[in-house]
Amino acid sequence: MKVVYTLRRHWVLLLLLLIALALRIWYLTINPLWPQFSNADDGDYFQRALRFAVTGQYVDDSWLIRPPFHVWVFAAWLKLALLLNQAPSFGVRLIQGFQTVLGVLMVPLCYALATRLFNRRAGLLFAGFWAVWFPFVELPATLFSEPIYLFLFTLHLWLLLRFDQTGRYRDLVLSGLVLGMAALTRSPALYALVFAVPWLLLRNWPRPERGLAEKLARSQLARIALRSSVVPFAVLAVCTLIIVLPWTARNWIVYQRFIPIDTLGPINLWLDLGSPDQRNAKIEELRQLPQADRQAYASARVREILSAEPLRPFRNVWPTFLHIWKAQFVEDFWVKRSFFTRPLREAAPLGLFGDLLWLVASLAGVIGLLHPATDRAFKALLGLWLLYSFATVLVFHVEPRYLLSIWLLLGLYAGWTLSYAPRLGASLRDLHWRGAIVYSTAIILAALFLTYRNYPEIIGRGVQRELYVWRGDQASARGDYQAAEREYRAALKVDPEFVESELSLALTLAAQGRRSEALAVLSSNDSRRSGLVAGVLSRAVGDESHARPLLNPAEERAGEDAQRWALDYVPVEPRESLVLGDDALDLGYVAGFAGSERSGDLTFRWLLGDGEIVLPLEQPLAAGNTVSMVLAAPIPLDGPLQISVGNAPAAVLRPDAQWRVYRLSVPPALAGQRQLRLRLHAPTYLPMRADPASADPRPLSVMVHSVAVER
């Protein structure tokens, strides 16, 4: 009976749990991003975690000392994948699954936090905001620090609130330990120790009902509050530092410098004081210094700049503040020139609904934060967190993931506002100055939302663009490329600078064999995919000198599996033979291989366990044709190389360390077909595992130099 009662009472919460799980799993299925193909932060985290998992050696980033906790967590899941004899890509899936679990667990955690701080209805509203808001839904797909950090941050707040209400020190101990882990994930969390001071003082301030406040002077009240706060603060600080100080000691041993957690602060401030086009040069300047000296150098540069111009960090505060209050998904979907490989079109219904949800939550959150009915000591802690978060964003720069902690806290207070909505006006009727602050702030923020951009015009134009693109996609899917071309040109007429429409038009023209026209549509610098397609088209028209610098770096900076995307979506010229490697001139024909390499006079690619080679042919296959491949296997493998020609049973080969030619018969069933598809599979070998000095994280198997059809 108790279980039935619990289910009835919490059925909404259980429904939100299921919705949160379903949305995050769905997003993982449509997300093309993979950290091993990224040169951004997620790529760095993946590489360091993989090295740590394989060798047990933790190496700092090539130009900064970064917080390590999330990298350790990632390494644990990658280690599990390796113990299961799986590729690192399987470990990425485990990490994403773990982050999905954290995202789902945040639903009851948000409910518990808001329920304990306000009421049950506020808890359900806050949990619902976490469950369905798009930026929270997409978090598990990326290997950033935010999924772990936001979970630890929220858990820390909930444990503090439990201590606030129960006085049990075990909650404070756990809160300090969790805060230490959060600080090793994102170092600003360490400031929570400072932010806890006013909360503890207000919490322990004698109240009128105790009879002391009316009899004692303010100085005496302050001394009482201070004495009552010393022990709780000491417990919180000690438990936090128990987690943080071993890492600080490691930094001292390795670098002979006092570096509590990381070197991000001074360096980021120095970088952001200059113009963005100078940033790469500044980073290279730092890289010339020993790692231990970089923070001191950056701090000295900041002091020089601030001594000459003290207000320089604040010169862009107002434009940056305006930039915070924008409809983020509308911005990404209909204002930016590219989707940057994110599946925004597939996620548009949820994302656009999320912007409406965010608008309501932001306004309601600010109202709840300023409303006198929420006044209590804990608001001091949360208010300081919000002020600090806003200040850092304003001084540095606006990046959506840096704002997530702000929206999380505003969502918490939005839950109270929406649950208290019928009584808001009445509760402010006799509090004229507080009411003026609440209402005027809400009006100002609403004005910022509405005036930041002409959203009706943007949405109207964007909907028209997407209708043309949808019709173009439908026409392209049925092979009517001329109709698709008309629709994509119409989409570009509505939004002339939208890169995805340019790509679709270029691919449609290429499918018609009009490669020079397709190349003229593209600007290779517009996006990573633009550069890749421009390189493939340049190769097709015979301009290899232009194709090589476009294709060679494409795989390392795409953020996705560029080989697979090119093979699936980019039309390529027919050929009877293919040389792998050679500055990535084989893109569009291969998938499942490592980057281009050279051995003597031969270029090649390593097969990464499972791969494909697909050749559209100049002439149909005929009975008696053979496929020749030049292969070598210089590393010991636990099994043979298996190659399937079309859908035929796999042939078993055992290449040795020497380059040799291997021939396979074309199955009679493939006679008349104009495409040759080879599927390759071989057991893999991790160089890092065998040699701790190796920096190679790739699961290698067989070297492939070339493939050709012999008639």
Side-chain angles (χ1 to χ4, degrees):
M1 292 297 295
K2 186 176 181 180
V3 173
V4 173
Y5 172 76
T6 301
L7 290 175
R8 286 179 178 175
R9 177 175 172 79
H10 296 293
W11 69 269
V12 177
L13 185 62
L14 293 173
L15 180 62
L16 290 175
L17 277 166
L18 294 175
I19 291 172
L21 177 62
L23 288 176
R24 283 152 179 80
I25 293 176
W26 160 77
Y27 187 79
L28 287 176
T29 64
I30 66 171
N31 173 61
L33 298 175
W34 283 89
Q36 58 265 50
F37 304 111
S38 173
N39 58 356
D41 285 353
D42 54 340
D44 163 62
Y45 298 153
F46 170 78
Q47 297 295 336
R48 284 193 287 137
L50 184 59
R51 174 183 284 275
F52 190 39
V54 174
T55 69
Q57 297 178 357
Y58 183 89
V59 178
D60 285 307
D61 176 70
S62 62
W63 70 288
L64 291 171
I65 300 171
R66 292 176 180 264
F69 184 76
H70 55 292
V71 176
W72 296 340
V73 174
F74 297 162
W77 291 106
L78 291 171
K79 183 69 173 180
L80 177 60
L82 297 176
L83 292 174
L84 296 173
N85 291 318
Q86 298 292 324
S89 58
F90 181 74
V92 174
R93 289 302 188 200
L94 290 179
I95 295 170
Q96 291 174 329
F98 167 72
Q99 293 185 149
T100 297
V101 171
L102 287 186
V104 174
L105 290 177
M106 277 287 286
V107 173
L109 186 56
C110 289
Y111 170 79
L113 177 62
T115 299
R116 190 172 285 273
L117 189 59
F118 302 125
N119 55 64
R120 182 171 179 270
R121 186 176 297 176
L124 290 174
L125 289 166
F126 183 38
F129 179 59
W130 173 269
V132 304
W133 192 44
F134 178 70
F136 293 149
V137 169
E138 69 174 342
L139 271 182
T142 58
L143 264 63
F144 289 124
S145 59
E146 278 71 21
I148 294 174
Y149 171 72
L150 290 175
F151 178 81
L152 294 172
F153 175 65
T154 308
L155 181 59
H156 159 71
L157 293 178
W158 177 69
L159 288 167
L160 281 185
L161 195 59
R162 274 174 57 110
F163 169 75
D164 190 30
Q165 296 180 347
T166 66
R168 292 196 297 260
Y169 273 87
R170 67 184 182 190
D171 294 325
L172 195 60
V173 168
L174 290 173
S175 182
L177 296 175
V178 169
L179 180 60
M181 290 184 281
L184 287 183
T185 306
R186 294 283 301 274
S187 58
L190 200 57
Y191 295 130
L193 292 177
V194 178
F195 300 156
V197 172
W199 161 61
L200 288 170
L201 289 174
L202 292 173
R203 176 183 180 271
N204 292 300
W205 198 274
R207 292 170 176 79
E209 57 268 22
R210 297 179 185 175
L212 289 173
E214 297 175 352
K215 300 177 182 178
L216 300 177
R218 181 169 295 274
S219 59
Q220 294 173 298
L221 295 174
R223 284 196 294 271
I224 293 172
L226 182 60
R227 284 198 301 268
S228 303
S229 303
V230 169
V231 173
F233 178 78
V235 171
L236 182 66
V238 167
C239 293
T240 300
L241 295 177
I242 283 173
I243 303 296
V244 172
L245 287 181
W247 176 253
T248 307
R250 174 263 185 189
N251 289 338
W252 177 264
I253 293 170
V254 173
Y255 299 113
Q256 297 297 303
R257 296 286 191 280
F258 177 68
I259 303 171
I261 297 174
D262 59 23
T263 55
L264 291 174
I267 293 174
N268 280 346
L269 179 59
W270 174 46
L271 292 176
D272 280 295
L273 287 173
S275 58
D277 58 352
Q278 298 174 337
R279 184 163 300 179
N280 289 335
K282 288 184 175 182
I283 291 174
E284 290 306 316
E285 185 180 347
L286 276 178
R287 281 182 169 149
Q288 303 306 313
L289 298 172
Q291 176 72 272
D293 298 335
R294 294 174 189 175
Q295 174 158 324
Y297 176 72
S299 298
R301 292 288 297 120
V302 170
R303 286 193 294 271
E304 290 175 19
I305 293 169
L306 294 182
S307 63
E309 190 179 347
L311 298 180
R312 188 170 172 185
F314 307 101
R315 62 185 178 185
N316 292 320
V317 162
W318 181 242
T320 303
F321 181 74
L322 292 177
H323 196 50
I324 292 172
W325 307 101
K326 61 182 181 296
Q328 187 61 61
F329 194 87
V330 170
E331 190 87 7
D332 291 343
F333 192 48
W334 282 321
V335 176
K336 290 185 178 178
R337 298 186 63 237
S338 173
F339 290 160
F340 300 104
T341 320
R342 295 168 65 203
L344 298 184
R345 187 165 282 133
E346 297 86 341
L350 181 65
L352 294 172
F353 169 72
D355 272 0
L356 292 175
L357 191 64
W358 164 81
L359 175 61
V360 172
S362 297
L363 281 172
V366 171
I367 291 172
L369 188 67
L370 297 176
H371 200 283
T374 62
D375 286 352
R376 55 186 297 180
F378 206 67
K379 184 189 280 189
L381 175 66
L382 300 181
L384 286 172
W385 261 117
L386 280 169
L387 289 173
Y388 167 77
S389 300
F390 272 112
T392 53
V393 169
L394 293 176
V395 170
F396 294 118
H397 59 276
V398 178
E399 189 170 328
R401 61 192 180 104
Y402 297 163
L403 298 172
L404 290 177
S405 59
I406 294 175
W407 307 134
L408 184 72
L409 293 179
L410 289 182
L412 171 64
Y413 278 90
W416 175 86
T417 302
L418 297 175
S419 69
Y420 195 72
R423 293 170 287 171
L424 276 177
S427 62
L428 290 172
R429 191 170 297 143
D430 297 327
L431 300 171
H432 302 297
W433 68 273
R434 291 293 294 269
I437 292 175
V438 170
Y439 290 131
S440 60
T441 303
I443 291 171
I444 290 171
L445 288 181
L448 291 179
F449 294 145
L450 297 175
T451 60
Y452 182 72
R453 294 197 191 278
N454 188 345
Y455 285 118
E457 179 185 343
I458 290 171
I459 293 172
R461 186 180 69 239
V463 168
Q464 190 178 8
R465 182 197 78 191
E466 288 303 298
L467 284 174
Y468 285 128
V469 169
W470 179 80
R471 292 172 188 161
D473 290 345
Q474 295 295 307
S476 181
R478 62 177 182 265
D480 188 352
Y481 296 119
Q482 291 182 343
E485 178 187 345
R486 288 194 300 271
E487 298 297 339
Y488 292 139
R489 289 192 185 278
L492 278 172
K493 188 175 181 180
V494 173
D495 192 350
E497 296 187 350
F498 188 55
V499 173
E500 314 301 319
S501 298
E502 289 180 357
L503 272 172
S504 297
L505 176 59
L507 293 174
T508 300
L509 292 171
Q512 300 175 67
R514 298 155 60 187
R515 297 186 179 91
S516 296
E517 293 180 59
L519 192 57
V521 168
L522 293 173
S523 173
S524 59
N525 295 324
D526 280 345
S527 74
R528 295 161 182 170
R529 286 180 178 175
S530 296
L532 192 157
V533 174
V536 170
L537 293 174
S538 297
R539 179 194 65 200
V541 299
D543 189 0
E544 290 190 359
S545 62
H546 186 232
R548 289 176 187 274
L550 293 174
L551 294 177
N552 201 29
E555 298 168 73
E556 299 176 359
R557 65 187 187 92
E560 64 175 334
D561 189 342
Q563 291 180 22
R564 171 56 60 186
W565 185 82
L567 183 63
D568 290 345
Y569 295 105
V570 182
V572 293
E573 66 276 18
R575 59 171 65 214
E576 299 289 301
S577 63
L578 178 71
V579 175
L580 276 69
D582 194 15
D583 291 337
L585 288 177
D586 55 359
L587 282 177
Y589 299 102
V590 300
F593 291 85
S596 304
E597 294 185 51
R598 181 176 293 275
S599 174
D601 295 331
L602 297 182
T603 63
F604 70 93
R605 285 184 185 268
W606 287 98
L607 174 67
L608 299 177
D610 292 283
E612 281 187 273
I613 301 175
V614 181
L615 297 183
L617 301 172
E618 297 171 349
Q619 300 176 19
L621 290 168
N625 290 164
T626 59
V627 177
S628 67
M629 302 184 70
V630 179
L631 309 171
I635 55 178
L637 300 177
D638 293 335
L641 168 66
Q642 301 177 52
I643 304 178
S644 298
V645 182
N647 295 321
V652 175
L653 302 178
R654 297 183 183 275
D656 57 31
Q658 302 299 315
W659 288 109
R660 301 187 190 279
V661 179
Y662 298 83
R663 289 181 170 85
L664 305 170
S665 298
V666 174
L670 296 183
Q673 294 193 14
R674 301 190 71 99
Q675 184 189 77
L676 174 69
R677 182 179 294 271
L678 303 177
R679 293 182 176 88
L680 300 86
H681 170 77
T684 57
Y685 170 92
L686 277 176
M688 271 188 179
R689 176 177 285 178
D691 181 7
S694 172
D696 193 342
R698 303 170 301 172
L700 307 178
S701 57
V702 176
M703 299 159 65
V704 182
H705 164 62
S706 65
V707 59
V709 177
E710 296 181 348
R711 300 184 183 275

